[in-house]
């Protein structure tokens, strides 16, 4: 009896785990309502894929060459002559709405994060110590602040590009003396701003007047967390 009870629990937990799994495609999107738990961990890109996948299974004709080419390789994909002829069921409409609502929420969170980064950059460049402390919990120190300022001077917040839950902007400059890289990396809620001195210029890489094993490479990075607001976590150095 006890063995049956444990087997029952195991089956129940397995069923719940299966239901909670992230949705990978829209094979079932026409037959059943998708649950919020199945898409809560997905990115904007993945939600867009699901929306396209649902549309493709109705024969939607895509204008984007990349998307159209992808589905053209699927045996089940049958293009309609006119997209206006497609009729979505109530289940499909509800699933599309779920994807769209979740996408709007994620876009809003992304815009909040970018707005926070723009304010951080503004405060750093203006040397606004009070604002940095009260809003971002960051206290300026002599050792790292000048490099944080240099990094944010070069980084363009508006040009950060995203893929799934990650985003990046990096600029590398070889000024004939040193090679330096300035970057912002985002992974989920974690934000890393980095100043990386990569060593001497490539200009004299093979023709230096004074060959030596001296290495002047070092990196500083600042870690922040975003949870509706951006907060400083810690500073690290290497080299």
């Amino acid at each position: 009896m006890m063995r049956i009870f444990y087997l029952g629990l195991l089956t129940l937990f397995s069923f719940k785990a299966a239901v909670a799994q992230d949705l990978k495609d829209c094979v079932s999107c026409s037959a059943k309502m998708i649950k919020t738990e199945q898409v809560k961990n997905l990115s904007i890109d993945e939600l867009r894929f699901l929306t396209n996948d649902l549309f493709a299974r109705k024969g939607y004709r895509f204008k984007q060459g990349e998307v159209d080419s992808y589905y053209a390789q699927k045996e089940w994909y049958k293009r309609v002559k006119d997209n206006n002829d497609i009729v979505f069921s109530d289940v499909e409409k509800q699933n599309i709405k779920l994807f769209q609502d979740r996408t709007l929420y994620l876009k809003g969170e992304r815009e909040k994060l970018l707005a926070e980064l723009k304010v951080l950059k503004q405060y750093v460049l203006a040397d606004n110590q009070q604002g940095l402390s009260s809003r971002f919990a960051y206290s300026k120190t002599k050792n790292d602040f000048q490099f944080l300022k240099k990094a944010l001077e070069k980084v363009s917040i508006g040009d950060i590009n995203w893929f799934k839950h990650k985003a990046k902007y990096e600029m590398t400059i070889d000024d004939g003396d040193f090679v330096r890289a300035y970057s912002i990396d985002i992974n989920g809620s974690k934000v890393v701003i980095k100043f990386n001195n990569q060593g001497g210029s490539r200009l004299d890489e093979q023709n230096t007047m004074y060959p030596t094993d001296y290495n002047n490479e070092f990196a500083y990075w600042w870690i922040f967390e975003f949870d509706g607001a951006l907060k400083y976590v810690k500073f690290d150095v290497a080299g």
Side-chain angles (χ1 to χ4, degrees):
M1 187 69 181
M2 187 62 69
R3 183 167 179 258
I4 294 174
F5 173 73
Y6 284 131
L7 285 173
L9 282 179
L10 180 61
T11 302
L12 178 62
F13 290 143
S14 298
F15 174 76
K16 287 184 175 181
V19 170
Q21 284 180 350
D22 294 342
L23 197 64
K24 302 298 183 184
D25 56 42
C26 256
V27 172
S28 61
C29 292
S30 294
K32 65 180 182 180
M33 303 275 276
I34 304 304
K35 299 180 181 297
T36 302
E37 290 77 13
Q38 292 176 271
V39 300
K40 67 179 183 179
N41 296 320
L42 301 183
S43 65
I44 292 173
D45 294 313
E46 290 163 317
L47 289 165
R48 185 180 296 116
F49 174 83
L50 288 177
T51 303
N52 286 340
D53 205 57
L54 192 157
F55 275 58
R57 293 174 191 279
K58 301 291 288 187
Y60 189 88
R61 299 179 70 91
F62 296 96
K63 295 180 180 179
Q64 294 173 284
E66 181 183 26
V67 178
D68 185 66
S69 177
Y70 172 79
Y71 286 111
Q73 301 173 46
K74 305 295 182 182
E75 291 184 4
W76 52 259
Y77 179 53
K78 308 297 180 185
R79 293 188 187 91
V80 297
K81 291 183 178 180
D82 188 339
N83 287 336
N84 293 321
D85 294 335
I86 296 176
V87 178
F88 295 103
S89 68
D90 289 342
V91 170
E92 290 166 337
K93 288 177 182 178
Q94 187 59 40
N95 288 334
I96 291 170
K97 185 177 185 303
L98 173 64
F99 300 155
Q100 292 175 338
D101 289 348
R102 183 62 184 170
T103 297
L104 285 175
Y105 169 77
L106 291 175
K107 285 183 176 179
E109 289 299 292
R110 182 178 291 183
E111 290 303 316
K112 288 180 186 176
L113 172 55
L114 293 176
E116 287 283 282
L117 285 170
K118 288 177 181 178
V119 174
L120 174 66
K121 178 175 180 175
Q122 176 187 338
Y123 283 6
V124 169
L125 298 187
D127 199 2
N128 185 342
Q129 298 181 48
Q130 182 177 352
L132 288 169
S133 177
S134 61
R135 181 159 182 171
F136 301 104
Y138 170 79
S139 297
K140 170 183 174 181
T141 67
K142 292 181 179 179
N143 293 333
D144 73 286
F145 184 75
Q146 60 171 318
F147 296 102
L148 176 61
K149 188 172 184 179
K150 288 178 180 179
L152 287 175
E153 280 176 345
K154 301 298 183 183
V155 166
S156 176
I157 307 298
D159 290 323
I160 291 175
N161 284 304
W162 297 77
F163 179 69
K164 294 187 178 181
H165 292 298
K166 296 182 179 181
K168 186 178 187 68
Y169 180 91
E170 181 172 335
M171 175 181 285
T172 302
I173 298 176
D174 184 340
D175 63 6
D177 191 11
F178 292 100
V179 179
R180 298 184 178 96
Y182 315 87
S183 64
I184 285 185
D185 287 276
I186 301 170
N187 188 351
S189 62
K190 183 178 179 180
V191 179
V192 180
I193 302 171
K194 194 171 186 179
F195 175 95
N196 187 358
N197 194 88
Q198 298 180 348
S201 170
R202 307 294 184 261
L203 181 66
D204 65 353
E205 197 170 34
Q206 304 297 329
N207 304 298
T208 180
M209 298 294 291
Y210 303 100
T212 177
D213 291 330
Y214 172 70
N215 187 338
N216 60 351
E217 298 179 9
F218 63 90
Y220 292 158
W221 61 94
W222 301 259
I223 300 174
F224 292 79
E225 284 285 338
F226 177 75
D227 184 12
L230 192 66
K231 295 298 180 183
Y232 172 70
V233 177
K234 66 175 183 176
F235 164 72
D236 270 323
V237 60

